[in-house]
Amino acid sequence: MSDRPHLEISRGSLSVGGFEAKDLAEKYGTPLYVTELDRVTRKLKAAEDELSSRHPDVLIAFAYKSNSTPAILKALASRGAGATVVSANGLRLARAAGVRARDIVLDGPSKSEEDLTAAVRMRIGMINAESVQEVLDIEEICAGLKVEGCRVGFRVNFGILADTHAGLATGGRSHKFGVPREEVVEFCESHASELRRVKISGLHSHVGSQISDPSVFRRETEELLALSDELSRSGVEIREFNVGGGLGVDYGEGKEMSLSDYADATAGTFARSASKRRSRLVFELGRWIVADSTVLLTKVNYVKRAGATNWALVDAGMNTFLRPALYGARHRIVAASTKDREESSVVYDIGGPVCETTDTFGSGVSLGVSLSKGDLIAILDTGAYGTAMASTYNMRPFPKTVVVSGGRHRLAPPAT
Ligand code: LLP
């Protein structure tokens, strides 16, 4: 595929980073996530180049929730990525991957005392608070641990509704995320100066995921800039601006924002504000960095007919890859290794082994060939929120991941 150079797809066969899907499936078993690691690091570099050409101090704090396979996290950390995490365990993973404490961000609308305590102890770069109470809690934890100068930001809710699936939008006024803008202003005017150990120095916003309209990011960036100007009048100086993640990918709908449009809307908008030149601009990208690095290989167990429908029933289920069942997401599916290579116009509905009607990956899918028992198909672009949301539901094994890099492949165990 021209836009996915690590994949070679021909009728009835697929290779990833030079390795035949069939050989990988035989060696490691299915269902199997296969990640081409160099694709991940190349995307990180592309984003870094594009963003830092517009603003000198940029950090891409990879969103660990999108993929937490340690081999992938290490590859990203060794090339300068920071980490956005949402739990104490995430903090530990980031340190184990080699991320410097100052390049770690802790987010989350309902952090536990354990999460906050671990972050304070580690002296991470920024804790983004999602309520005034959380700021006060952090102050108390700092007092208990005798920590000073703890950097805290506000995740602000500006009421920006993004152009995405309702389940992936987080910026609405009555969503559970962030602190309303007015409340941030009120707190900073009246109480920020009473904080002894916490230093309010960040502003953060994340309005959703899988966004394809640059104007959403432009508006978000402008709101953050305007708010920081307002706060500086009450003596609160913002040093770190965090525009969240959310840059979408094209799963097949033909909708994708270019990297340069994204960079213009965020870093470009930011760079026009000369007074912010010395501030750090943080991006919590997850999906865009890892999604297209990975295919999910799954074996056909049965092909059968139900009414007018041809079912291909495979060994991956919603426990392996949840996005289709959870959001009705549809990913491209290709034939990865089939006995029959004759061109065929037969279409399939693809279903998994789990006893749930939503345990399907596509309907009316044309693979260009016909399928039979033992064939392999691949679900594309499963690197983000694939293994990350996998489970052992129905007592099925947790899916394995293989990473391919520099002409080799190896098993990459999941985070524990
Ligand atoms: N920052 C925050 C505060 C977030 O909540 C998220 C994702 C990100 C960054 C990373 O967003 P990304 O760049 O990956 O879009 N399970 C869903 C996606 C849920 C996203 C949750 N938050 C899916 O499979 O589409």
Side-chain angles (χ1 to χ4, degrees), residues 91 104-108 111 115-121 123-130 134-135 138 142 150-155 198-202 204 240:
L91 292 167
I104 301 177
V105 179
L106 177 68
D107 290 345
K111 304 176 191 78
D115 299 333
L116 292 173
T117 305
V120 169
R121 271 190 209 283
R123 292 172 165 74
I124 64 167
M126 190 63 68
I127 305 174
N128 286 316
E130 302 215 18
E134 186 183 333
V135 176
I138 299 168
C142 288
C150 177
R151 289 177 294 271
V152 171
F154 274 112
R155 175 172 177 177
V198 160
K199 189 163 171 45
I200 302 288
S201 51
H204 172 224
E240 181 163 308

PDB file of all heavy atoms in Angstrom, residues 91 104-108 111 115-121 123-130 134-135 138 142 150-155 198-202 204 240:
ATOM      1  N   LEU A  91       2.830   5.491  35.191  1.00  0.00           N
ATOM      2  CA  LEU A  91       4.046   6.231  35.575  1.00  0.00           C
ATOM      3  C   LEU A  91       5.237   5.272  35.627  1.00  0.00           C
ATOM      4  O   LEU A  91       6.324   5.567  35.126  1.00  0.00           O
ATOM      5  CB  LEU A  91       3.864   6.878  36.950  1.00  0.00           C
ATOM      6  CG  LEU A  91       2.856   8.027  37.043  1.00  0.00           C
ATOM      7  CD1 LEU A  91       2.557   8.354  38.508  1.00  0.00           C
ATOM      8  CD2 LEU A  91       3.378   9.266  36.317  1.00  0.00           C
ATOM      9  N   ILE A 104       7.085  13.422  31.669  1.00  0.00           N
ATOM     10  CA  ILE A 104       5.882  12.614  31.919  1.00  0.00           C
ATOM     11  C   ILE A 104       4.737  13.526  32.366  1.00  0.00           C
ATOM     12  O   ILE A 104       4.919  14.420  33.191  1.00  0.00           O
ATOM     13  CB  ILE A 104       6.148  11.553  33.013  1.00  0.00           C
ATOM     14  CG1 ILE A 104       7.301  10.629  32.595  1.00  0.00           C
ATOM     15  CG2 ILE A 104       4.885  10.729  33.263  1.00  0.00           C
ATOM     16  CD1 ILE A 104       7.684   9.595  33.637  1.00  0.00           C
ATOM     17  N   VAL A 105       3.566  13.261  31.807  1.00  0.00           N
ATOM     18  CA  VAL A 105       2.352  14.015  32.141  1.00  0.00           C
ATOM     19  C   VAL A 105       1.353  13.017  32.730  1.00  0.00           C
ATOM     20  O   VAL A 105       1.184  11.925  32.182  1.00  0.00           O
ATOM     21  CB  VAL A 105       1.737  14.613  30.854  1.00  0.00           C
ATOM     22  CG1 VAL A 105       0.466  15.380  31.162  1.00  0.00           C
ATOM     23  CG2 VAL A 105       2.740  15.496  30.124  1.00  0.00           C
ATOM     24  N   LEU A 106       0.710  13.404  33.823  1.00  0.00           N
ATOM     25  CA  LEU A 106      -0.355  12.545  34.376  1.00  0.00           C
ATOM     26  C   LEU A 106      -1.703  13.229  34.156  1.00  0.00           C
ATOM     27  O   LEU A 106      -1.902  14.372  34.571  1.00  0.00           O
ATOM     28  CB  LEU A 106      -0.138  12.306  35.882  1.00  0.00           C
ATOM     29  CG  LEU A 106      -1.244  11.472  36.559  1.00  0.00           C
ATOM     30  CD1 LEU A 106      -1.232  10.018  36.077  1.00  0.00           C
ATOM     31  CD2 LEU A 106      -1.106  11.503  38.087  1.00  0.00           C
ATOM     32  N   ASP A 107      -2.602  12.521  33.490  1.00  0.00           N
ATOM     33  CA  ASP A 107      -3.958  13.019  33.241  1.00  0.00           C
ATOM     34  C   ASP A 107      -4.967  12.084  33.892  1.00  0.00           C
ATOM     35  O   ASP A 107      -4.616  10.999  34.349  1.00  0.00           O
ATOM     36  CB  ASP A 107      -4.262  12.980  31.732  1.00  0.00           C
ATOM     37  CG  ASP A 107      -3.475  14.000  30.928  1.00  0.00           C
ATOM     38  OD1 ASP A 107      -2.905  14.923  31.513  1.00  0.00           O
ATOM     39  OD2 ASP A 107      -3.463  13.854  29.682  1.00  0.00           O
ATOM     40  N   GLY A 108      -6.227  12.462  33.798  1.00  0.00           N
ATOM     41  CA  GLY A 108      -7.302  11.562  34.223  1.00  0.00           C
ATOM     42  C   GLY A 108      -8.316  12.275  35.085  1.00  0.00           C
ATOM     43  O   GLY A 108      -7.946  13.041  35.974  1.00  0.00           O
ATOM     44  N   LYS A 111      -8.374  10.600  39.435  1.00  0.00           N
ATOM     45  CA  LYS A 111      -7.123   9.963  39.856  1.00  0.00           C
ATOM     46  C   LYS A 111      -7.250   9.500  41.303  1.00  0.00           C
ATOM     47  O   LYS A 111      -7.885  10.164  42.120  1.00  0.00           O
ATOM     48  CB  LYS A 111      -5.964  10.951  39.730  1.00  0.00           C
ATOM     49  CG  LYS A 111      -5.792  11.535  38.332  1.00  0.00           C
ATOM     50  CD  LYS A 111      -4.682  12.581  38.311  1.00  0.00           C
ATOM     51  CE  LYS A 111      -4.630  13.380  37.038  1.00  0.00           C
ATOM     52  NZ  LYS A 111      -5.651  14.447  36.933  1.00  0.00           N
ATOM     53  N   ASP A 115      -2.317   7.259  42.606  1.00  0.00           N
ATOM     54  CA  ASP A 115      -1.823   7.855  41.355  1.00  0.00           C
ATOM     55  C   ASP A 115      -1.113   9.182  41.649  1.00  0.00           C
ATOM     56  O   ASP A 115      -0.003   9.433  41.178  1.00  0.00           O
ATOM     57  CB  ASP A 115      -2.984   8.159  40.385  1.00  0.00           C
ATOM     58  CG  ASP A 115      -3.765   6.913  39.959  1.00  0.00           C
ATOM     59  OD1 ASP A 115      -3.183   5.809  39.960  1.00  0.00           O
ATOM     60  OD2 ASP A 115      -4.966   7.064  39.631  1.00  0.00           O
ATOM     61  N   LEU A 116      -1.787  10.027  42.441  1.00  0.00           N
ATOM     62  CA  LEU A 116      -1.235  11.364  42.707  1.00  0.00           C
ATOM     63  C   LEU A 116       0.044  11.269  43.540  1.00  0.00           C
ATOM     64  O   LEU A 116       1.022  11.980  43.279  1.00  0.00           O
ATOM     65  CB  LEU A 116      -2.279  12.231  43.426  1.00  0.00           C
ATOM     66  CG  LEU A 116      -3.500  12.614  42.567  1.00  0.00           C
ATOM     67  CD1 LEU A 116      -4.552  13.332  43.403  1.00  0.00           C
ATOM     68  CD2 LEU A 116      -3.081  13.489  41.381  1.00  0.00           C
ATOM     69  N   THR A 117       0.035  10.382  44.527  1.00  0.00           N
ATOM     70  CA  THR A 117       1.207  10.247  45.387  1.00  0.00           C
ATOM     71  C   THR A 117       2.416   9.788  44.562  1.00  0.00           C
ATOM     72  O   THR A 117       3.526  10.326  44.707  1.00  0.00           O
ATOM     73  CB  THR A 117       0.929   9.231  46.527  1.00  0.00           C
ATOM     74  OG1 THR A 117      -0.241   9.672  47.215  1.00  0.00           O
ATOM     75  CG2 THR A 117       2.083   9.133  47.489  1.00  0.00           C
ATOM     76  N   ALA A 118       2.187   8.824  43.673  1.00  0.00           N
ATOM     77  CA  ALA A 118       3.303   8.336  42.845  1.00  0.00           C
ATOM     78  C   ALA A 118       3.842   9.464  41.964  1.00  0.00           C
ATOM     79  O   ALA A 118       5.058   9.607  41.796  1.00  0.00           O
ATOM     80  CB  ALA A 118       2.837   7.162  41.984  1.00  0.00           C
ATOM     81  N   ALA A 119       2.931  10.285  41.434  1.00  0.00           N
ATOM     82  CA  ALA A 119       3.368  11.377  40.554  1.00  0.00           C
ATOM     83  C   ALA A 119       4.154  12.427  41.330  1.00  0.00           C
ATOM     84  O   ALA A 119       5.176  12.945  40.857  1.00  0.00           O
ATOM     85  CB  ALA A 119       2.152  12.018  39.883  1.00  0.00           C
ATOM     86  N   VAL A 120       3.685  12.750  42.532  1.00  0.00           N
ATOM     87  CA  VAL A 120       4.377  13.753  43.355  1.00  0.00           C
ATOM     88  C   VAL A 120       5.769  13.237  43.726  1.00  0.00           C
ATOM     89  O   VAL A 120       6.774  13.946  43.596  1.00  0.00           O
ATOM     90  CB  VAL A 120       3.542  14.082  44.616  1.00  0.00           C
ATOM     91  CG1 VAL A 120       4.354  14.911  45.610  1.00  0.00           C
ATOM     92  CG2 VAL A 120       2.261  14.815  44.223  1.00  0.00           C
ATOM     93  N   ARG A 121       5.827  12.012  44.168  1.00  0.00           N
ATOM     94  CA  ARG A 121       7.123  11.409  44.540  1.00  0.00           C
ATOM     95  C   ARG A 121       8.107  11.423  43.375  1.00  0.00           C
ATOM     96  O   ARG A 121       9.288  11.643  43.550  1.00  0.00           O
ATOM     97  CB  ARG A 121       6.915   9.930  44.895  1.00  0.00           C
ATOM     98  CG  ARG A 121       6.594   9.665  46.329  1.00  0.00           C
ATOM     99  CD  ARG A 121       6.682   8.153  46.551  1.00  0.00           C
ATOM    100  NE  ARG A 121       5.806   7.694  47.608  1.00  0.00           N
ATOM    101  CZ  ARG A 121       6.081   7.849  48.905  1.00  0.00           C
ATOM    102  NH1 ARG A 121       7.199   8.398  49.280  1.00  0.00           N
ATOM    103  NH2 ARG A 121       5.217   7.422  49.810  1.00  0.00           N
ATOM    104  N   ARG A 123       8.174  13.433  40.943  1.00  0.00           N
ATOM    105  CA  ARG A 123       8.410  14.805  40.472  1.00  0.00           C
ATOM    106  C   ARG A 123       8.310  14.885  38.936  1.00  0.00           C
ATOM    107  O   ARG A 123       9.234  15.332  38.250  1.00  0.00           O
ATOM    108  CB  ARG A 123       9.776  15.310  40.944  1.00  0.00           C
ATOM    109  CG  ARG A 123       9.819  15.513  42.454  1.00  0.00           C
ATOM    110  CD  ARG A 123      11.206  15.820  42.943  1.00  0.00           C
ATOM    111  NE  ARG A 123      11.233  16.354  44.287  1.00  0.00           N
ATOM    112  CZ  ARG A 123      11.026  15.648  45.398  1.00  0.00           C
ATOM    113  NH1 ARG A 123      10.722  14.364  45.328  1.00  0.00           N
ATOM    114  NH2 ARG A 123      11.100  16.222  46.589  1.00  0.00           N
ATOM    115  N   ILE A 124       7.175  14.424  38.459  1.00  0.00           N
ATOM    116  CA  ILE A 124       6.982  14.413  37.002  1.00  0.00           C
ATOM    117  C   ILE A 124       6.768  15.830  36.484  1.00  0.00           C
ATOM    118  O   ILE A 124       6.559  16.770  37.257  1.00  0.00           O
ATOM    119  CB  ILE A 124       5.798  13.508  36.586  1.00  0.00           C
ATOM    120  CG1 ILE A 124       4.469  14.051  37.135  1.00  0.00           C
ATOM    121  CG2 ILE A 124       6.035  12.073  37.022  1.00  0.00           C
ATOM    122  CD1 ILE A 124       3.241  13.396  36.505  1.00  0.00           C
ATOM    123  N   GLY A 125       6.800  15.955  35.167  1.00  0.00           N
ATOM    124  CA  GLY A 125       6.716  17.272  34.541  1.00  0.00           C
ATOM    125  C   GLY A 125       5.428  18.010  34.837  1.00  0.00           C
ATOM    126  O   GLY A 125       5.436  19.207  35.136  1.00  0.00           O
ATOM    127  N   MET A 126       4.289  17.314  34.792  1.00  0.00           N
ATOM    128  CA  MET A 126       3.010  18.012  34.992  1.00  0.00           C
ATOM    129  C   MET A 126       1.916  17.040  35.406  1.00  0.00           C
ATOM    130  O   MET A 126       1.797  15.954  34.836  1.00  0.00           O
ATOM    131  CB  MET A 126       2.591  18.686  33.667  1.00  0.00           C
ATOM    132  CG  MET A 126       1.422  19.639  33.761  1.00  0.00           C
ATOM    133  SD  MET A 126       1.725  21.093  34.817  1.00  0.00           S
ATOM    134  CE  MET A 126       2.949  21.985  33.851  1.00  0.00           C
ATOM    135  N   ILE A 127       1.171  17.465  36.424  1.00  0.00           N
ATOM    136  CA  ILE A 127      -0.066  16.747  36.762  1.00  0.00           C
ATOM    137  C   ILE A 127      -1.198  17.650  36.294  1.00  0.00           C
ATOM    138  O   ILE A 127      -1.300  18.799  36.741  1.00  0.00           O
ATOM    139  CB  ILE A 127      -0.212  16.513  38.280  1.00  0.00           C
ATOM    140  CG1 ILE A 127       1.015  15.788  38.847  1.00  0.00           C
ATOM    141  CG2 ILE A 127      -1.494  15.744  38.584  1.00  0.00           C
ATOM    142  CD1 ILE A 127       1.006  15.647  40.381  1.00  0.00           C
ATOM    143  N   ASN A 128      -2.023  17.161  35.393  1.00  0.00           N
ATOM    144  CA  ASN A 128      -3.150  17.976  34.930  1.00  0.00           C
ATOM    145  C   ASN A 128      -4.376  17.653  35.766  1.00  0.00           C
ATOM    146  O   ASN A 128      -4.930  16.555  35.677  1.00  0.00           O
ATOM    147  CB  ASN A 128      -3.403  17.732  33.445  1.00  0.00           C
ATOM    148  CG  ASN A 128      -2.333  18.403  32.595  1.00  0.00           C
ATOM    149  OD1 ASN A 128      -1.968  19.560  32.851  1.00  0.00           O
ATOM    150  ND2 ASN A 128      -1.804  17.699  31.615  1.00  0.00           N
ATOM    151  N   ALA A 129      -4.772  18.630  36.563  1.00  0.00           N
ATOM    152  CA  ALA A 129      -5.886  18.423  37.486  1.00  0.00           C
ATOM    153  C   ALA A 129      -7.212  18.638  36.763  1.00  0.00           C
ATOM    154  O   ALA A 129      -7.317  19.482  35.872  1.00  0.00           O
ATOM    155  CB  ALA A 129      -5.764  19.387  38.658  1.00  0.00           C
ATOM    156  N   GLU A 130      -8.222  17.881  37.184  1.00  0.00           N
ATOM    157  CA  GLU A 130      -9.529  17.995  36.537  1.00  0.00           C
ATOM    158  C   GLU A 130     -10.606  18.480  37.502  1.00  0.00           C
ATOM    159  O   GLU A 130     -11.800  18.394  37.220  1.00  0.00           O
ATOM    160  CB  GLU A 130      -9.913  16.665  35.875  1.00  0.00           C
ATOM    161  CG  GLU A 130      -8.867  16.220  34.858  1.00  0.00           C
ATOM    162  CD  GLU A 130      -9.419  15.506  33.647  1.00  0.00           C
ATOM    163  OE1 GLU A 130     -10.624  15.607  33.376  1.00  0.00           O
ATOM    164  OE2 GLU A 130      -8.616  14.851  32.961  1.00  0.00           O
ATOM    165  N   GLU A 134      -8.970  18.463  43.334  1.00  0.00           N
ATOM    166  CA  GLU A 134      -7.751  17.677  43.050  1.00  0.00           C
ATOM    167  C   GLU A 134      -6.500  18.519  43.313  1.00  0.00           C
ATOM    168  O   GLU A 134      -5.497  18.011  43.850  1.00  0.00           O
ATOM    169  CB  GLU A 134      -7.782  17.189  41.589  1.00  0.00           C
ATOM    170  CG  GLU A 134      -6.626  16.248  41.267  1.00  0.00           C
ATOM    171  CD  GLU A 134      -6.591  15.808  39.800  1.00  0.00           C
ATOM    172  OE1 GLU A 134      -7.643  15.772  39.129  1.00  0.00           O
ATOM    173  OE2 GLU A 134      -5.473  15.503  39.332  1.00  0.00           O
ATOM    174  N   VAL A 135      -6.559  19.806  42.984  1.00  0.00           N
ATOM    175  CA  VAL A 135      -5.401  20.672  43.248  1.00  0.00           C
ATOM    176  C   VAL A 135      -5.128  20.716  44.754  1.00  0.00           C
ATOM    177  O   VAL A 135      -3.980  20.610  45.206  1.00  0.00           O
ATOM    178  CB  VAL A 135      -5.658  22.104  42.711  1.00  0.00           C
ATOM    179  CG1 VAL A 135      -4.504  23.030  43.069  1.00  0.00           C
ATOM    180  CG2 VAL A 135      -5.881  22.070  41.205  1.00  0.00           C
ATOM    181  N   ILE A 138      -3.563  17.531  45.908  1.00  0.00           N
ATOM    182  CA  ILE A 138      -2.130  17.440  45.559  1.00  0.00           C
ATOM    183  C   ILE A 138      -1.307  18.272  46.551  1.00  0.00           C
ATOM    184  O   ILE A 138      -0.243  17.850  47.018  1.00  0.00           O
ATOM    185  CB  ILE A 138      -1.870  17.907  44.098  1.00  0.00           C
ATOM    186  CG1 ILE A 138      -2.635  17.020  43.111  1.00  0.00           C
ATOM    187  CG2 ILE A 138      -0.375  17.894  43.775  1.00  0.00           C
ATOM    188  CD1 ILE A 138      -2.680  17.543  41.683  1.00  0.00           C
ATOM    189  N   CYS A 142       1.666  16.812  48.811  1.00  0.00           N
ATOM    190  CA  CYS A 142       3.003  17.437  48.795  1.00  0.00           C
ATOM    191  C   CYS A 142       3.442  17.780  50.216  1.00  0.00           C
ATOM    192  O   CYS A 142       4.612  17.580  50.588  1.00  0.00           O
ATOM    193  CB  CYS A 142       2.992  18.719  47.967  1.00  0.00           C
ATOM    194  SG  CYS A 142       2.855  18.426  46.209  1.00  0.00           S
ATOM    195  N   CYS A 150       5.663  21.633  43.114  1.00  0.00           N
ATOM    196  CA  CYS A 150       5.023  20.570  42.299  1.00  0.00           C
ATOM    197  C   CYS A 150       4.222  21.232  41.168  1.00  0.00           C
ATOM    198  O   CYS A 150       3.314  22.034  41.418  1.00  0.00           O
ATOM    199  CB  CYS A 150       4.107  19.749  43.208  1.00  0.00           C
ATOM    200  SG  CYS A 150       3.198  18.483  42.328  1.00  0.00           S
ATOM    201  N   ARG A 151       4.579  20.893  39.944  1.00  0.00           N
ATOM    202  CA  ARG A 151       3.952  21.549  38.786  1.00  0.00           C
ATOM    203  C   ARG A 151       2.582  20.927  38.487  1.00  0.00           C
ATOM    204  O   ARG A 151       2.473  19.730  38.228  1.00  0.00           O
ATOM    205  CB  ARG A 151       4.846  21.418  37.552  1.00  0.00           C
ATOM    206  CG  ARG A 151       6.099  22.275  37.622  1.00  0.00           C
ATOM    207  CD  ARG A 151       6.970  22.037  36.410  1.00  0.00           C
ATOM    208  NE  ARG A 151       7.487  20.673  36.406  1.00  0.00           N
ATOM    209  CZ  ARG A 151       8.621  20.290  36.979  1.00  0.00           C
ATOM    210  NH1 ARG A 151       9.371  21.185  37.603  1.00  0.00           N
ATOM    211  NH2 ARG A 151       9.021  19.034  36.935  1.00  0.00           N
ATOM    212  N   VAL A 152       1.569  21.786  38.531  1.00  0.00           N
ATOM    213  CA  VAL A 152       0.202  21.327  38.290  1.00  0.00           C
ATOM    214  C   VAL A 152      -0.429  22.209  37.212  1.00  0.00           C
ATOM    215  O   VAL A 152      -0.193  23.423  37.180  1.00  0.00           O
ATOM    216  CB  VAL A 152      -0.621  21.372  39.596  1.00  0.00           C
ATOM    217  CG1 VAL A 152      -2.100  21.112  39.334  1.00  0.00           C
ATOM    218  CG2 VAL A 152      -0.081  20.357  40.605  1.00  0.00           C
ATOM    219  N   GLY A 153      -1.188  21.569  36.338  1.00  0.00           N
ATOM    220  CA  GLY A 153      -1.926  22.316  35.326  1.00  0.00           C
ATOM    221  C   GLY A 153      -3.408  22.054  35.493  1.00  0.00           C
ATOM    222  O   GLY A 153      -3.818  21.139  36.205  1.00  0.00           O
ATOM    223  N   PHE A 154      -4.207  22.877  34.847  1.00  0.00           N
ATOM    224  CA  PHE A 154      -5.646  22.616  34.807  1.00  0.00           C
ATOM    225  C   PHE A 154      -6.006  22.061  33.444  1.00  0.00           C
ATOM    226  O   PHE A 154      -5.639  22.647  32.416  1.00  0.00           O
ATOM    227  CB  PHE A 154      -6.447  23.906  34.992  1.00  0.00           C
ATOM    228  CG  PHE A 154      -6.692  24.266  36.436  1.00  0.00           C
ATOM    229  CD1 PHE A 154      -6.090  25.377  37.000  1.00  0.00           C
ATOM    230  CD2 PHE A 154      -7.542  23.493  37.222  1.00  0.00           C
ATOM    231  CE1 PHE A 154      -6.331  25.718  38.329  1.00  0.00           C
ATOM    232  CE2 PHE A 154      -7.791  23.824  38.538  1.00  0.00           C
ATOM    233  CZ  PHE A 154      -7.182  24.939  39.104  1.00  0.00           C
ATOM    234  N   ARG A 155      -6.714  20.927  33.429  1.00  0.00           N
ATOM    235  CA  ARG A 155      -7.378  20.542  32.176  1.00  0.00           C
ATOM    236  C   ARG A 155      -8.657  21.357  32.116  1.00  0.00           C
ATOM    237  O   ARG A 155      -9.519  21.242  32.994  1.00  0.00           O
ATOM    238  CB  ARG A 155      -7.695  19.052  32.143  1.00  0.00           C
ATOM    239  CG  ARG A 155      -8.497  18.689  30.899  1.00  0.00           C
ATOM    240  CD  ARG A 155      -8.657  17.222  30.742  1.00  0.00           C
ATOM    241  NE  ARG A 155      -9.468  16.865  29.595  1.00  0.00           N
ATOM    242  CZ  ARG A 155      -9.706  15.617  29.217  1.00  0.00           C
ATOM    243  NH1 ARG A 155      -9.192  14.624  29.901  1.00  0.00           N
ATOM    244  NH2 ARG A 155     -10.443  15.362  28.168  1.00  0.00           N
ATOM    245  N   VAL A 198       2.225  23.620  45.624  1.00  0.00           N
ATOM    246  CA  VAL A 198       1.809  23.412  44.223  1.00  0.00           C
ATOM    247  C   VAL A 198       2.030  24.706  43.458  1.00  0.00           C
ATOM    248  O   VAL A 198       1.745  25.793  43.971  1.00  0.00           O
ATOM    249  CB  VAL A 198       0.309  23.023  44.183  1.00  0.00           C
ATOM    250  CG1 VAL A 198      -0.288  23.278  42.808  1.00  0.00           C
ATOM    251  CG2 VAL A 198       0.134  21.558  44.582  1.00  0.00           C
ATOM    252  N   LYS A 199       2.541  24.567  42.245  1.00  0.00           N
ATOM    253  CA  LYS A 199       2.681  25.748  41.399  1.00  0.00           C
ATOM    254  C   LYS A 199       1.823  25.535  40.149  1.00  0.00           C
ATOM    255  O   LYS A 199       2.075  24.621  39.359  1.00  0.00           O
ATOM    256  CB  LYS A 199       4.152  25.900  41.006  1.00  0.00           C
ATOM    257  CG  LYS A 199       4.451  27.194  40.329  1.00  0.00           C
ATOM    258  CD  LYS A 199       5.943  27.478  40.349  1.00  0.00           C
ATOM    259  CE  LYS A 199       6.309  28.671  39.470  1.00  0.00           C
ATOM    260  NZ  LYS A 199       5.441  29.829  39.614  1.00  0.00           N
ATOM    261  N   ILE A 200       0.796  26.360  40.017  1.00  0.00           N
ATOM    262  CA  ILE A 200      -0.050  26.238  38.815  1.00  0.00           C
ATOM    263  C   ILE A 200       0.752  26.795  37.641  1.00  0.00           C
ATOM    264  O   ILE A 200       1.044  27.989  37.572  1.00  0.00           O
ATOM    265  CB  ILE A 200      -1.363  27.039  38.962  1.00  0.00           C
ATOM    266  CG1 ILE A 200      -2.160  26.590  40.189  1.00  0.00           C
ATOM    267  CG2 ILE A 200      -2.200  26.941  37.675  1.00  0.00           C
ATOM    268  CD1 ILE A 200      -2.803  25.245  40.084  1.00  0.00           C
ATOM    269  N   SER A 201       1.134  25.913  36.734  1.00  0.00           N
ATOM    270  CA  SER A 201       1.996  26.384  35.642  1.00  0.00           C
ATOM    271  C   SER A 201       1.630  25.767  34.292  1.00  0.00           C
ATOM    272  O   SER A 201       2.353  25.950  33.321  1.00  0.00           O
ATOM    273  CB  SER A 201       3.460  26.090  35.973  1.00  0.00           C
ATOM    274  OG  SER A 201       3.605  24.735  36.332  1.00  0.00           O
ATOM    275  N   GLY A 202       0.509  25.041  34.248  1.00  0.00           N
ATOM    276  CA  GLY A 202       0.130  24.433  32.973  1.00  0.00           C
ATOM    277  C   GLY A 202      -1.334  24.626  32.637  1.00  0.00           C
ATOM    278  O   GLY A 202      -2.173  24.796  33.525  1.00  0.00           O
ATOM    279  N   HIS A 204      -4.195  22.711  29.969  1.00  0.00           N
ATOM    280  CA  HIS A 204      -4.356  21.514  29.158  1.00  0.00           C
ATOM    281  C   HIS A 204      -5.783  21.446  28.636  1.00  0.00           C
ATOM    282  O   HIS A 204      -6.718  21.878  29.307  1.00  0.00           O
ATOM    283  CB  HIS A 204      -4.063  20.308  30.068  1.00  0.00           C
ATOM    284  CG  HIS A 204      -4.351  18.967  29.471  1.00  0.00           C
ATOM    285  ND1 HIS A 204      -4.989  17.981  30.180  1.00  0.00           N
ATOM    286  CD2 HIS A 204      -4.097  18.436  28.261  1.00  0.00           C
ATOM    287  CE1 HIS A 204      -5.084  16.889  29.429  1.00  0.00           C
ATOM    288  NE2 HIS A 204      -4.553  17.139  28.258  1.00  0.00           N
ATOM    289  N   GLU A 240       3.558  25.804  30.493  1.00  0.00           N
ATOM    290  CA  GLU A 240       3.370  24.610  29.667  1.00  0.00           C
ATOM    291  C   GLU A 240       1.944  24.569  29.131  1.00  0.00           C
ATOM    292  O   GLU A 240       0.978  24.628  29.899  1.00  0.00           O
ATOM    293  CB  GLU A 240       3.673  23.360  30.495  1.00  0.00           C
ATOM    294  CG  GLU A 240       3.524  22.088  29.691  1.00  0.00           C
ATOM    295  CD  GLU A 240       4.191  20.891  30.339  1.00  0.00           C
ATOM    296  OE1 GLU A 240       5.385  20.990  30.694  1.00  0.00           O
ATOM    297  OE2 GLU A 240       3.514  19.864  30.496  1.00  0.00           O
TER     298      GLU A 240
END
